[in-house]
Amino acid sequence: MSAHQYDHGHTVAGWVGTAIASVGAVAAGAGVCLVSGVLIAGGIAIGVVALLVTWALHLAGWGKGPGIRPREEWGWRVRDSGARAGHDECLGCRLAGRRRKAQVAGHLVVRGDVSVGGESEPAVVGADSGR
């Protein structure tokens, strides 16, 4: 039995992005200590690279979307088979133009399009509201 009972979300994208961002933070911190604008700018540039690499790995299936994954996908080296379709409520997937669409009772549902009382609700397209 595992030592933890929930998914920590450790993924290849998360580990690689964190490692690259740590190098950028060290470079920027050294730039502050040494009063070097070049090192500060380099550290910030490495941070941007970390963001882009993490995003690319997420879109390639090495990350995870928001929410809980099934237990068999908890391993950090498990590739997400549903990443190509996009994750519900995932900013990275939306920025890449990936949106998961589902069918409910013959109507197209686009997740997260309607906000009711601060919570997003599925918007049913083409259905009569009956009101």
PDB file of all heavy atoms in Angstrom, residues 4 9 18 28 41 45-46 50 57 62 67 70 76 78 81 88 97-98 100 109-110 122 124 129:
ATOM      1  N   HIS A   4       0.839   7.391   0.782  1.00  0.00           N
ATOM      2  CA  HIS A   4      -0.154   8.466   0.702  1.00  0.00           C
ATOM      3  C   HIS A   4      -1.416   7.947   0.030  1.00  0.00           C
ATOM      4  O   HIS A   4      -1.376   7.047  -0.787  1.00  0.00           O
ATOM      5  CB  HIS A   4       0.405   9.682  -0.052  1.00  0.00           C
ATOM      6  CG  HIS A   4       0.943   9.376  -1.398  1.00  0.00           C
ATOM      7  ND1 HIS A   4       0.154   9.325  -2.519  1.00  0.00           N
ATOM      8  CD2 HIS A   4       2.194   9.086  -1.823  1.00  0.00           C
ATOM      9  CE1 HIS A   4       0.882   9.027  -3.575  1.00  0.00           C
ATOM     10  NE2 HIS A   4       2.127   8.872  -3.176  1.00  0.00           N
ATOM     11  N   GLY A   9       0.184  14.718  -7.664  1.00  0.00           N
ATOM     12  CA  GLY A   9       0.314  15.460  -8.908  1.00  0.00           C
ATOM     13  C   GLY A   9       1.721  15.532  -9.451  1.00  0.00           C
ATOM     14  O   GLY A   9       2.001  16.314 -10.344  1.00  0.00           O
ATOM     15  N   THR A  18      10.228  22.491 -12.611  1.00  0.00           N
ATOM     16  CA  THR A  18      10.742  22.949 -11.327  1.00  0.00           C
ATOM     17  C   THR A  18      12.271  22.998 -11.328  1.00  0.00           C
ATOM     18  O   THR A  18      12.869  23.934 -10.800  1.00  0.00           O
ATOM     19  CB  THR A  18      10.233  22.040 -10.192  1.00  0.00           C
ATOM     20  OG1 THR A  18       8.807  22.097 -10.176  1.00  0.00           O
ATOM     21  CG2 THR A  18      10.778  22.476  -8.846  1.00  0.00           C
ATOM     22  N   ALA A  28      19.144  34.383 -11.058  1.00  0.00           N
ATOM     23  CA  ALA A  28      18.625  35.718 -10.745  1.00  0.00           C
ATOM     24  C   ALA A  28      19.060  36.158  -9.349  1.00  0.00           C
ATOM     25  O   ALA A  28      19.419  37.330  -9.146  1.00  0.00           O
ATOM     26  CB  ALA A  28      17.098  35.733 -10.854  1.00  0.00           C
ATOM     27  N   ALA A  41      18.672  39.287 -15.689  1.00  0.00           N
ATOM     28  CA  ALA A  41      17.918  39.070 -16.930  1.00  0.00           C
ATOM     29  C   ALA A  41      18.028  37.619 -17.390  1.00  0.00           C
ATOM     30  O   ALA A  41      17.047  37.028 -17.866  1.00  0.00           O
ATOM     31  CB  ALA A  41      18.432  40.012 -18.014  1.00  0.00           C
ATOM     32  N   ALA A  45      15.004  35.025 -17.910  1.00  0.00           N
ATOM     33  CA  ALA A  45      14.859  34.319 -19.197  1.00  0.00           C
ATOM     34  C   ALA A  45      14.775  32.805 -18.979  1.00  0.00           C
ATOM     35  O   ALA A  45      13.969  32.116 -19.619  1.00  0.00           O
ATOM     36  CB  ALA A  45      16.020  34.663 -20.120  1.00  0.00           C
ATOM     37  N   ILE A  46      15.586  32.281 -18.069  1.00  0.00           N
ATOM     38  CA  ILE A  46      15.530  30.848 -17.764  1.00  0.00           C
ATOM     39  C   ILE A  46      14.178  30.497 -17.153  1.00  0.00           C
ATOM     40  O   ILE A  46      13.612  29.433 -17.436  1.00  0.00           O
ATOM     41  CB  ILE A  46      16.695  30.447 -16.835  1.00  0.00           C
ATOM     42  CG1 ILE A  46      18.021  30.577 -17.590  1.00  0.00           C
ATOM     43  CG2 ILE A  46      16.521  29.021 -16.315  1.00  0.00           C
ATOM     44  CD1 ILE A  46      19.249  30.410 -16.716  1.00  0.00           C
ATOM     45  N   ALA A  50      11.536  27.780 -18.509  1.00  0.00           N
ATOM     46  CA  ALA A  50      10.931  26.755 -17.660  1.00  0.00           C
ATOM     47  C   ALA A  50       9.416  26.694 -17.864  1.00  0.00           C
ATOM     48  O   ALA A  50       8.830  25.610 -17.962  1.00  0.00           O
ATOM     49  CB  ALA A  50      11.252  27.019 -16.195  1.00  0.00           C
ATOM     50  N   LEU A  57       5.543  20.073 -22.292  1.00  0.00           N
ATOM     51  CA  LEU A  57       5.463  18.713 -21.751  1.00  0.00           C
ATOM     52  C   LEU A  57       4.037  18.378 -21.312  1.00  0.00           C
ATOM     53  O   LEU A  57       3.566  17.254 -21.500  1.00  0.00           O
ATOM     54  CB  LEU A  57       6.434  18.540 -20.588  1.00  0.00           C
ATOM     55  CG  LEU A  57       7.908  18.429 -20.961  1.00  0.00           C
ATOM     56  CD1 LEU A  57       8.785  18.499 -19.724  1.00  0.00           C
ATOM     57  CD2 LEU A  57       8.172  17.145 -21.724  1.00  0.00           C
ATOM     58  N   TRP A  62       2.723  14.665 -20.598  1.00  0.00           N
ATOM     59  CA  TRP A  62       3.571  14.375 -19.446  1.00  0.00           C
ATOM     60  C   TRP A  62       3.200  15.207 -18.225  1.00  0.00           C
ATOM     61  O   TRP A  62       3.920  15.204 -17.235  1.00  0.00           O
ATOM     62  CB  TRP A  62       5.041  14.572 -19.793  1.00  0.00           C
ATOM     63  CG  TRP A  62       5.510  13.546 -20.757  1.00  0.00           C
ATOM     64  CD1 TRP A  62       5.817  13.754 -22.062  1.00  0.00           C
ATOM     65  CD2 TRP A  62       5.693  12.153 -20.519  1.00  0.00           C
ATOM     66  NE1 TRP A  62       6.190  12.570 -22.637  1.00  0.00           N
ATOM     67  CE2 TRP A  62       6.125  11.574 -21.721  1.00  0.00           C
ATOM     68  CE3 TRP A  62       5.527  11.336 -19.398  1.00  0.00           C
ATOM     69  CZ2 TRP A  62       6.396  10.217 -21.838  1.00  0.00           C
ATOM     70  CZ3 TRP A  62       5.796   9.988 -19.522  1.00  0.00           C
ATOM     71  CH2 TRP A  62       6.225   9.444 -20.721  1.00  0.00           C
ATOM     72  N   GLY A  67      -7.655  18.506 -10.931  1.00  0.00           N
ATOM     73  CA  GLY A  67      -8.518  17.455 -10.413  1.00  0.00           C
ATOM     74  C   GLY A  67      -7.749  16.196 -10.053  1.00  0.00           C
ATOM     75  O   GLY A  67      -6.523  16.151 -10.112  1.00  0.00           O
ATOM     76  N   PRO A  70      -7.102   8.963 -11.762  1.00  0.00           N
ATOM     77  CA  PRO A  70      -7.338   7.591 -11.277  1.00  0.00           C
ATOM     78  C   PRO A  70      -6.069   7.037 -10.628  1.00  0.00           C
ATOM     79  O   PRO A  70      -4.962   7.400 -10.996  1.00  0.00           O
ATOM     80  CB  PRO A  70      -7.691   6.806 -12.538  1.00  0.00           C
ATOM     81  CG  PRO A  70      -8.043   7.821 -13.560  1.00  0.00           C
ATOM     82  CD  PRO A  70      -7.355   9.086 -13.190  1.00  0.00           C
ATOM     83  N   TRP A  76       4.583   9.183 -11.447  1.00  0.00           N
ATOM     84  CA  TRP A  76       5.000  10.414 -12.103  1.00  0.00           C
ATOM     85  C   TRP A  76       5.480  10.179 -13.525  1.00  0.00           C
ATOM     86  O   TRP A  76       5.560  11.102 -14.315  1.00  0.00           O
ATOM     87  CB  TRP A  76       6.039  11.151 -11.271  1.00  0.00           C
ATOM     88  CG  TRP A  76       7.398  10.512 -11.224  1.00  0.00           C
ATOM     89  CD1 TRP A  76       7.788   9.494 -10.414  1.00  0.00           C
ATOM     90  CD2 TRP A  76       8.522  10.870 -12.006  1.00  0.00           C
ATOM     91  NE1 TRP A  76       9.099   9.194 -10.646  1.00  0.00           N
ATOM     92  CE2 TRP A  76       9.578  10.028 -11.618  1.00  0.00           C
ATOM     93  CE3 TRP A  76       8.761  11.813 -12.996  1.00  0.00           C
ATOM     94  CZ2 TRP A  76      10.830  10.096 -12.194  1.00  0.00           C
ATOM     95  CZ3 TRP A  76      10.011  11.880 -13.555  1.00  0.00           C
ATOM     96  CH2 TRP A  76      11.033  11.031 -13.158  1.00  0.00           C
ATOM     97  N   VAL A  78       3.832   8.204 -15.690  1.00  0.00           N
ATOM     98  CA  VAL A  78       2.684   7.745 -16.462  1.00  0.00           C
ATOM     99  C   VAL A  78       2.213   8.873 -17.366  1.00  0.00           C
ATOM    100  O   VAL A  78       1.945   9.978 -16.917  1.00  0.00           O
ATOM    101  CB  VAL A  78       1.540   7.286 -15.535  1.00  0.00           C
ATOM    102  CG1 VAL A  78       0.315   6.900 -16.342  1.00  0.00           C
ATOM    103  CG2 VAL A  78       1.999   6.134 -14.666  1.00  0.00           C
ATOM    104  N   SER A  81      -3.112   9.900 -21.330  1.00  0.00           N
ATOM    105  CA  SER A  81      -3.633   9.570 -22.659  1.00  0.00           C
ATOM    106  C   SER A  81      -4.701  10.558 -23.135  1.00  0.00           C
ATOM    107  O   SER A  81      -4.940  10.677 -24.328  1.00  0.00           O
ATOM    108  CB  SER A  81      -4.205   8.153 -22.652  1.00  0.00           C
ATOM    109  OG  SER A  81      -5.255   8.067 -21.700  1.00  0.00           O
ATOM    110  N   ASP A  88     -10.427  19.484 -18.772  1.00  0.00           N
ATOM    111  CA  ASP A  88     -11.467  20.401 -18.299  1.00  0.00           C
ATOM    112  C   ASP A  88     -10.845  21.416 -17.353  1.00  0.00           C
ATOM    113  O   ASP A  88     -10.019  21.074 -16.518  1.00  0.00           O
ATOM    114  CB  ASP A  88     -12.564  19.640 -17.559  1.00  0.00           C
ATOM    115  CG  ASP A  88     -13.404  18.783 -18.489  1.00  0.00           C
ATOM    116  OD1 ASP A  88     -13.438  19.077 -19.692  1.00  0.00           O
ATOM    117  OD2 ASP A  88     -14.022  17.819 -18.009  1.00  0.00           O
ATOM    118  N   GLY A  97      -5.637  26.051 -27.346  1.00  0.00           N
ATOM    119  CA  GLY A  97      -6.778  25.846 -28.235  1.00  0.00           C
ATOM    120  C   GLY A  97      -7.411  24.475 -28.096  1.00  0.00           C
ATOM    121  O   GLY A  97      -8.166  24.048 -28.957  1.00  0.00           O
ATOM    122  N   ARG A  98      -7.093  23.782 -27.018  1.00  0.00           N
ATOM    123  CA  ARG A  98      -7.684  22.459 -26.793  1.00  0.00           C
ATOM    124  C   ARG A  98      -8.834  22.598 -25.827  1.00  0.00           C
ATOM    125  O   ARG A  98      -8.693  23.105 -24.734  1.00  0.00           O
ATOM    126  CB  ARG A  98      -6.646  21.508 -26.193  1.00  0.00           C
ATOM    127  CG  ARG A  98      -5.520  21.238 -27.127  1.00  0.00           C
ATOM    128  CD  ARG A  98      -4.558  20.283 -26.505  1.00  0.00           C
ATOM    129  NE  ARG A  98      -3.451  20.042 -27.415  1.00  0.00           N
ATOM    130  CZ  ARG A  98      -2.428  19.279 -27.134  1.00  0.00           C
ATOM    131  NH1 ARG A  98      -2.357  18.682 -25.971  1.00  0.00           N
ATOM    132  NH2 ARG A  98      -1.467  19.113 -28.011  1.00  0.00           N
ATOM    133  N   ARG A 100     -12.117  20.239 -24.339  1.00  0.00           N
ATOM    134  CA  ARG A 100     -12.824  18.961 -24.311  1.00  0.00           C
ATOM    135  C   ARG A 100     -14.314  19.243 -24.434  1.00  0.00           C
ATOM    136  O   ARG A 100     -14.858  20.067 -23.728  1.00  0.00           O
ATOM    137  CB  ARG A 100     -12.533  18.237 -23.007  1.00  0.00           C
ATOM    138  CG  ARG A 100     -13.151  16.867 -22.969  1.00  0.00           C
ATOM    139  CD  ARG A 100     -12.691  16.128 -21.769  1.00  0.00           C
ATOM    140  NE  ARG A 100     -11.287  15.811 -21.947  1.00  0.00           N
ATOM    141  CZ  ARG A 100     -10.548  15.242 -21.027  1.00  0.00           C
ATOM    142  NH1 ARG A 100     -11.058  14.939 -19.875  1.00  0.00           N
ATOM    143  NH2 ARG A 100      -9.293  14.968 -21.248  1.00  0.00           N
ATOM    144  N   VAL A 109     -22.131  19.927 -25.099  1.00  0.00           N
ATOM    145  CA  VAL A 109     -21.822  20.587 -23.835  1.00  0.00           C
ATOM    146  C   VAL A 109     -20.391  21.087 -23.900  1.00  0.00           C
ATOM    147  O   VAL A 109     -19.483  20.344 -24.215  1.00  0.00           O
ATOM    148  CB  VAL A 109     -21.973  19.617 -22.643  1.00  0.00           C
ATOM    149  CG1 VAL A 109     -21.518  20.274 -21.362  1.00  0.00           C
ATOM    150  CG2 VAL A 109     -23.406  19.165 -22.525  1.00  0.00           C
ATOM    151  N   VAL A 110     -20.209  22.374 -23.617  1.00  0.00           N
ATOM    152  CA  VAL A 110     -18.879  22.954 -23.537  1.00  0.00           C
ATOM    153  C   VAL A 110     -18.649  23.292 -22.083  1.00  0.00           C
ATOM    154  O   VAL A 110     -19.329  24.127 -21.511  1.00  0.00           O
ATOM    155  CB  VAL A 110     -18.762  24.220 -24.427  1.00  0.00           C
ATOM    156  CG1 VAL A 110     -17.365  24.798 -24.322  1.00  0.00           C
ATOM    157  CG2 VAL A 110     -19.114  23.902 -25.857  1.00  0.00           C
ATOM    158  N   PRO A 122     -21.872  23.502 -16.819  1.00  0.00           N
ATOM    159  CA  PRO A 122     -21.848  23.203 -18.239  1.00  0.00           C
ATOM    160  C   PRO A 122     -22.935  23.965 -18.981  1.00  0.00           C
ATOM    161  O   PRO A 122     -24.035  24.133 -18.487  1.00  0.00           O
ATOM    162  CB  PRO A 122     -22.090  21.695 -18.303  1.00  0.00           C
ATOM    163  CG  PRO A 122     -22.487  21.262 -16.952  1.00  0.00           C
ATOM    164  CD  PRO A 122     -22.177  22.361 -16.000  1.00  0.00           C
ATOM    165  N   VAL A 124     -25.311  23.976 -22.106  1.00  0.00           N
ATOM    166  CA  VAL A 124     -25.871  23.081 -23.111  1.00  0.00           C
ATOM    167  C   VAL A 124     -26.260  23.916 -24.318  1.00  0.00           C
ATOM    168  O   VAL A 124     -27.038  24.845 -24.223  1.00  0.00           O
ATOM    169  CB  VAL A 124     -27.097  22.316 -22.556  1.00  0.00           C
ATOM    170  CG1 VAL A 124     -27.669  21.410 -23.612  1.00  0.00           C
ATOM    171  CG2 VAL A 124     -26.707  21.540 -21.314  1.00  0.00           C
ATOM    172  N   SER A 129     -34.518  25.858 -22.846  1.00  0.00           N
ATOM    173  CA  SER A 129     -34.444  25.967 -21.397  1.00  0.00           C
ATOM    174  C   SER A 129     -35.761  25.622 -20.722  1.00  0.00           C
ATOM    175  O   SER A 129     -35.798  25.264 -19.565  1.00  0.00           O
ATOM    176  CB  SER A 129     -34.005  27.377 -20.981  1.00  0.00           C
ATOM    177  OG  SER A 129     -34.992  28.307 -21.363  1.00  0.00           O
TER     178      SER A 129
END
